[in-house]
Amino acid sequence: MVLTVLPGQAKSVPTDYQSLVDNRFYMEKITEPLPLSGSVDLYLVRFLEHQTESATKTHLRSAVLAIENYMDFPLPVKEIIMLFSTNIDAGGINYGSHFTLDISEDGSLPQLIKGGIVHEITHFYLVMDTPWFAEGTANFLATQVGFELYNQEVAPRSNRSSCPNDVINITEIAAAYPGYYPRTNCPPVLLPQLRRENH
Amino acid sequence: MGDEPFQAAWREIFQTGIEDNLKFTDAEIYQLFFKHTPTDHITRVNRVFINFHGGDFVASP
């Protein structure tokens, strides 16, 4: 398992890399039964000791169930390895074999709801190479699962990072960034609008 | 387009894509949503794509 984590962290956080090499980390593992895929092995890896039954683990277990239920398709991976660390670009990255999340997202509600766990898991369902759909679906599902699990509206987190300022449509983005035509570089917008038709 | 048609399109996109190992284009994604759109909502769904995607593949109502 450690070897799959190493490539993602070797460059960005050398100290964490060394901790992995030296076998100095803490890991929670649980096998979660799922109705469609049978089960998934969940691993939470940290460099600081944490409660065994962490809130993050509880959220993760609920989230994989809710995700598979909404997708109505088996989760396409048999194990999910989450590494909490620092200096994570964009707050979280899915490397295909595992994903990293900023340690600030390893907390309690509402941090967990707004955080990237569901977002990064959704990236395992890969059906399109262009970022608007991959990021859009990940944010959409994070919002959907947050509402289903906790009955809370969740502001899609990419509203913060992917939508320039307060622009609300492609015309405004093009006007604000002449010469740069993002073709929906504002991924959270299209899918919720499509479902609700509020435009 | 409403919850049920949206979810039907969503599930078809992911199930087909993963089962057949496909990587959809923007136009194909649009067509899959379009396919599940109730007839009386087509104009509004097209408007969402025009406003928020900007693609030139949107069908005339």
Side-chain angles (χ1 to χ4, degrees), chain A residues 69-73 76 125-130 132-133 137 140-141 168-171 181 183-184 189-191 193-197 199, chain B residues 1-3 6-7 10-11 13-15 17-19 22-26 29 33 41 44-45 47-55 57:
Chain A
N69 179 56
Y70 191 82
M71 301 300 284
D72 196 27
F73 192 80
Y125 291 91
L126 185 62
V127 296
M128 195 176 183
D129 288 330
T130 55
W132 79 266
F133 194 73
T137 53
F140 175 83
L141 202 58
I168 57 170
N169 63 43
I170 200 78
T171 306
Y181 191 63
R183 291 185 73 86
T184 316
V189 174
L190 189 143
L191 293 169
Q193 291 290 334
L194 195 58
R195 183 172 68 166
R196 292 197 300 261
E197 302 172 3
H199 48 276
Chain B
M1 62 191 289
D3 282 344
F6 178 90
Q7 195 164 11
W10 171 281
R11 287 175 169 174
I13 289 167
F14 282 97
Q15 290 174 8
I18 293 170
E19 281 178 348
L22 299 176
K23 293 290 184 291
F24 294 115
T25 64
D26 287 25
I29 293 288
F33 276 112
H41 292 197
R44 284 180 284 180
V45 164
R47 194 179 306 146
V48 170
F49 265 94
I50 290 168
N51 284 344
F52 296 103
H53 185 283
F57 45 74

Side-chain angles (χ1 to χ4, degrees), chain A residues 67-83:
Chain A
I67 290 169
E68 194 177 82
N69 179 56
Y70 191 82
M71 301 300 284
D72 196 27
F73 192 80
L75 194 70
V77 291
K78 296 305 289 180
E79 69 175 18
I80 293 176
I81 301 169
M82 296 176 54
L83 176 69

Side-chain angles (χ1 to χ4, degrees), chain A residues 134-152:
Chain A
E135 297 303 324
T137 53
N139 282 298
F140 175 83
L141 202 58
T143 305
Q144 178 73 22
V145 169
F147 186 77
E148 283 187 11
L149 290 180
Y150 307 104
N151 198 31
Q152 291 188 25

Side-chain angles (χ1 to χ4, degrees), chain A residues 20-195:
Chain A
L20 288 168
V21 171
D22 295 343
N23 206 30
R24 287 185 287 109
F25 58 88
Y26 299 90
M27 184 169 71
E28 294 180 78
K29 181 200 171 186
I30 191 165
T31 299
E32 182 67 22
L34 292 174
L36 299 179
S37 56
S39 66
V40 60
D41 291 332
L42 307 171
Y43 299 86
L44 282 79
V45 180
R46 303 177 175 93
F47 299 103
L48 297 172
E49 196 168 14
H50 202 282
Q51 291 179 326
T52 304
E53 280 292 331
S54 68
T56 302
K57 187 165 75 176
T58 302
H59 173 69
L60 178 60
R61 294 179 65 188
S62 303
V64 291
L65 275 168
I67 290 169
E68 194 177 82
N69 179 56
Y70 191 82
M71 301 300 284
D72 196 27
F73 192 80
L75 194 70
V77 291
K78 296 305 289 180
E79 69 175 18
I80 293 176
I81 301 169
M82 296 176 54
L83 176 69
F84 288 103
S85 184
T86 53
N87 296 332
I88 305 295
D89 288 342
I93 299 176
N94 186 318
Y95 290 93
S97 60
H98 68 283
F99 64 86
T100 54
L101 277 177
D102 189 86
I103 198 167
S104 65
E105 299 190 10
D106 184 17
S108 55
L109 303 179
Q111 284 168 279
L112 286 167
I113 307 173
K114 294 179 179 175
I117 289 177
V118 175
H119 177 105
E120 298 303 334
I121 293 173
T122 306
H123 283 319
F124 288 120
Y125 291 91
L126 185 62
V127 296
M128 195 176 183
D129 288 330
T130 55
W132 79 266
F133 194 73
E135 297 303 324
T137 53
N139 282 298
F140 175 83
L141 202 58
T143 305
Q144 178 73 22
V145 169
F147 186 77
E148 283 187 11
L149 290 180
Y150 307 104
N151 198 31
Q152 291 188 25
E153 291 284 356
V154 183
R157 66 192 193 127
S158 274
N159 275 340
R160 303 195 302 262
S161 60
S162 300
C163 297
N165 301 319
D166 296 322
V167 293
I168 57 170
N169 63 43
I170 200 78
T171 306
E172 292 187 27
I173 294 173
Y177 293 83
Y180 170 61
Y181 191 63
R183 291 185 73 86
T184 316
N185 194 36
C186 192
V189 174
L190 189 143
L191 293 169
Q193 291 290 334
L194 195 58
R195 183 172 68 166

